[in-house]
Amino acid sequence: AVVSTQSTGFPDLEDYSTSITSVLVAMLVIGGLLFLIGIIGCIGACSGKSGLLNIYFVVVLIFVILEIVVIVLAVVKKNDFEDAFVETGTELFTEYKTEANDATPDLDEVKVVGVNVAQFTFECCGVDTGSSWWGNRNGAAVFAPGCCSNFDSQTFENSIQAGLTQEKMLITQCPDDGEVFQVGCQEQANALANAFSTVIIIVVAVLIAFEILCLVAACVSKKRDLVA
């Protein structure tokens, strides 16, 4: 069978690069703004100019409010993220499984590699029941190569470029005594979402606490200037 090379809706590496660049630029801009705000606060505190302290107070207060919104969204939207991730993953895995059980599988190379790399990266297998999700072939349990702990994406990609077959898409054992991941990818995705949201909440909470201290310090500095 010939591996299809038509567009699948999957982002190319260039798209990932563009997205990462956009995030880095945004982080640099935010970092620059925070640095500038900190300088304004320092100048205001050292010179006793209440106008600068007022600007510093208002801007930091806005950041605190935005960060509180981030915490709320991380809690409220976590389930939406999990559902969307699971739905998309299930559709892709099911398509892979369907093609793998076809006598002449025809699936885009990006999808074939993506399913296997995802399982290897997140150390999971199948959607929700581990390796058993992939089923059986001729009485023997099969699973995607990416379920193996010693999966080599480059070797696999070179293999399917020569032609896509059932035996390449679903195997019966890992090469070189590799182990099969037994955790479903849905379970792994939920665990990662929980860990990620927890980290976001902790980091933002620490930033809010620090910024509140900065606001208090600005108020104290301004009060001393007024008394003086």
Side-chain angles (χ1 to χ4, degrees):
V2 178
V3 180
S4 172
T5 57
Q6 63 185 5
S7 175
T8 63
F10 270 68
D12 295 327
L13 292 177
E14 291 80 2
D15 297 326
Y16 284 114
S17 177
T18 301
S19 299
I20 294 174
T21 301
S22 300
V23 172
L24 291 176
V25 171
M27 292 177 65
L28 287 173
V29 171
I30 293 174
L33 288 174
L34 290 174
F35 179 73
L36 180 61
I37 293 167
I39 291 178
I40 292 175
C42 289
I43 294 175
C46 294
S47 63
K49 294 182 179 180
S50 60
L52 292 177
L53 287 175
N54 289 337
I55 294 175
Y56 175 78
F57 183 90
V58 171
V59 174
V60 172
L61 181 61
I62 292 174
F63 269 96
V64 170
I65 295 173
L66 291 176
E67 287 160 357
I68 292 175
V69 171
V70 169
I71 289 181
V72 173
L73 290 176
V75 174
V76 174
K77 296 295 184 179
K78 181 174 72 70
N79 290 335
D80 293 340
F81 166 77
E82 291 178 3
D83 293 341
F85 185 87
V86 169
E87 181 180 356
T88 302
T90 300
E91 291 178 359
L92 178 58
F93 275 52
T94 301
E95 183 180 5
Y96 183 105
K97 182 178 180 180
T98 300
E99 289 294 329
N101 288 311
D102 191 281
T104 56
D106 183 15
L107 188 62
D108 187 273
E109 181 183 328
V110 175
K111 290 185 177 182
V112 176
V113 175
V115 167
N116 287 283
V117 169
Q119 290 175 109
F120 175 71
T121 301
F122 295 106
E123 299 184 353
C124 60
C125 190
V127 174
D128 53 11
T129 55
S131 60
S132 61
W133 184 86
W134 291 106
N136 298 274
R137 185 173 60 216
N138 299 327
V142 292
F143 47 84
C147 294
C148 296
S149 59
N150 57 351
F151 173 70
D152 187 326
S153 60
Q154 188 59 56
T155 300
F156 177 72
E157 187 171 357
N158 292 338
S159 172
I160 63 174
Q161 284 177 350
L164 197 59
T165 64
Q166 291 178 318
E167 291 72 19
K168 292 178 181 179
M169 295 182 71
L170 294 177
I171 60 178
T172 56
Q173 64 180 11
C174 295
D176 302 325
D177 298 324
E179 297 182 357
V180 182
F181 302 127
Q182 295 299 330
V183 180
C185 292
Q186 180 175 336
E187 182 180 345
Q188 286 288 70
N190 291 339
L192 287 172
N194 290 331
F196 186 64
S197 61
T198 300
V199 169
I200 289 178
I201 291 173
I202 292 175
V203 171
V204 175
V206 171
L207 286 175
I208 290 175
F210 175 75
E211 288 166 352
I212 289 176
L213 290 176
C214 292
L215 292 175
V216 172
C219 291
V220 172
S221 178
K222 182 176 180 180
K223 183 177 181 180
R224 288 179 177 175
D225 293 336
L226 291 175
V227 172

